[in-house]
């Protein structure tokens, strides 16, 4: 059984999901709970959105519960969000090298970079998708000629399709700083910004050893991350339909 970037089993049993849901829903505000149900409702409405070309990006400050939210949304029969990928901002800079992906060597370069790109300190991006090289190359070839966005969508979609899901998403917390770029690359994308109480984030980060320094330093980091997400999300065109906040 594969483990995700948190070290947890990626396919929790149903009773474990139930426990996690009860714990998280107890901590969340009524508005945040309604937001989750609204997201799930929209996922199931094919007329409201294009389920293939409209990804969901989960973002937030570190230690805010993005992994738990991913597991909750993955209970949808149509949506699949893999563990952290963290490649879009890093590899979009190579789009000239990838060209239009119509040649096999262009697809090879892209897949090779996914294999060597660090998703977390302990994982690489490509294995997250649970695809063979041949499956990934075939998925991109089907949409070629295309651009970086099209090739990325093809990989995500192939991973979702392998699990009989119709729509894909991404959970990379650090992309809280990249909402504007992601919105440009994926014009129909929706964003879910999870905002955990800064005091709880600070304690969690200290325990995990993710940030050195005193509580004031961590508080400043939390504030910058949250503010970046809020400002970028609310500045999106049609932000009321594309940007959601979950607070607890």
């Amino acid at each position: 059984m594969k483990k995700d970037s948190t070290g947890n089993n990626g396919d929790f049993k149903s009773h474990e999901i139930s426990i996690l849901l009860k714990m998280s829903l107890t901590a969340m505000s009524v508005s945040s709970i309604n937001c989750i149900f609204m997201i799930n409702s929209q996922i199931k409405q094919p007329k409201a959105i294009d389920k293939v070309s409209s990804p969901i990006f989960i973002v937030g400050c570190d230690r805010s519960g993005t992994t738990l939210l991913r597991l909750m949304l993955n209970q949808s029969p149509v949506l699949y969000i893999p563990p952290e990928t963290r490649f879009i901002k890093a590899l979009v800079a190579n789009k000239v090298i990838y060209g239009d992906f119509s040649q096999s060597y262009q697809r090879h370069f892209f897949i090779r970079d996914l294999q060597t790109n660090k998703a977390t300190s302990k994982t690489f991006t490509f294995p997250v998708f649970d695809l063979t090289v041949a499956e990934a190359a075939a998925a991109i070839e089907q949409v070629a000629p295309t651009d970086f966005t099209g090739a990325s969508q093809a990989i995500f979609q192939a991973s979702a399709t392998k699990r009989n899901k119709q729509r894909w998403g991404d959970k990379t917390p650090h992309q809280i700083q990249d909402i504007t770029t992601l919105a440009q690359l994926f014009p129909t994308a929706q964003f879910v910004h999870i905002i955990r109480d800064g005091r709880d984030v600070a304690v969690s980060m200290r325990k995990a050893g993710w940030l050195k320094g005193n509580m004031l330093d961590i508080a400043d980091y939390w504030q910058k991350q949250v503010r970046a997400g809020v400002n970028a999300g609310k500045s999106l065109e049609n932000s009321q339909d594309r940007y959601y906040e979950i607070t607890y």
Side-chain angles (χ1 to χ4, degrees):
M1 184 178 294
K2 291 188 177 181
K3 294 186 176 181
D4 62 21
S5 59
T6 66
N8 295 322
N9 291 326
D11 46 347
F12 277 65
K13 296 179 181 178
S14 59
H15 74 277
E16 293 173 320
I17 287 292
S18 178
I19 293 173
L20 289 172
L21 284 170
K22 289 179 180 178
M23 291 173 60
S24 59
L25 293 178
T26 299
M28 290 180 179
S29 65
V30 173
S31 61
S32 296
I33 296 171
N34 288 337
C35 181
I36 293 176
F37 289 137
M38 178 173 62
I39 293 167
N40 273 310
S41 175
Q42 288 199 6
I43 289 170
K44 298 175 183 177
Q45 294 177 7
K47 292 183 179 179
I49 50 176
D50 184 336
K51 291 182 290 186
V52 173
S53 62
S54 300
I56 290 178
F57 289 99
I58 298 175
V59 296
C61 183
D62 321 53
R63 310 301 292 182
S64 290
T66 54
T67 296
L68 176 58
L69 181 59
R70 177 181 75 85
L71 294 171
M72 293 168 69
L73 293 181
N74 271 351
Q75 300 313 297
S76 163
V78 299
L79 174 68
Y80 176 66
I81 303 175
E84 192 164 339
T85 63
R86 202 174 184 176
F87 79 91
I88 295 174
K89 183 178 180 180
L91 300 190
V92 70
N94 299 336
K95 61 182 181 181
V96 174
I97 297 175
Y98 304 142
D100 65 2
F101 294 90
S102 60
Q103 302 300 314
S104 60
Y105 71 86
Q106 295 170 323
R107 298 189 289 274
H108 167 75
F109 287 158
F110 181 51
I111 294 171
R112 175 206 61 190
D113 287 347
L114 290 174
Q115 291 173 321
T116 58
N117 183 72
K118 295 295 290 287
T120 69
S121 61
K122 299 179 180 179
T123 64
F124 292 91
T125 298
F126 188 73
V128 166
F129 295 109
D130 193 26
L131 299 170
T132 65
V133 171
E135 288 172 333
I140 300 172
E141 186 176 12
Q142 286 182 351
V143 299
T146 189
D147 55 10
F148 176 82
T149 297
S152 299
Q153 287 188 144
I155 295 290
F156 276 109
Q157 190 61 50
S159 183
T161 300
K162 196 169 185 177
R163 291 163 176 79
N164 296 316
K165 300 293 187 79
Q166 299 163 286
R167 190 181 182 196
W168 63 271
D170 182 46
K171 190 280 294 188
T172 300
H174 288 276
Q175 290 180 160
I176 189 70
Q177 295 283 346
D178 306 319
I179 290 178
T180 301
T181 298
L182 292 172
Q184 292 172 346
L185 290 171
F186 304 93
T188 59
Q190 293 175 295
F191 299 87
V192 182
H193 180 189
I194 185 165
I195 305 174
R196 183 184 184 187
D197 188 297
R199 293 164 294 186
D200 292 325
V201 170
V203 171
S204 181
M205 293 186 79
R206 282 286 293 272
K207 287 182 178 179
W210 283 19
L211 266 187
K212 296 180 180 179
N214 57 40
M215 285 296 192
L216 288 177
D217 294 329
I218 299 177
D220 183 59
Y221 174 77
W222 174 85
Q223 184 181 60
K224 288 179 179 178
Q225 295 292 86
V226 171
R227 183 176 294 166
V230 171
N231 290 343
K234 292 186 176 180
S235 67
L236 293 174
E237 184 177 358
N238 299 321
S239 62
Q240 69 276 10
D241 296 321
R242 299 184 64 195
Y243 174 74
Y244 304 91
E245 290 178 1
I246 296 177
T247 60
Y248 73 105

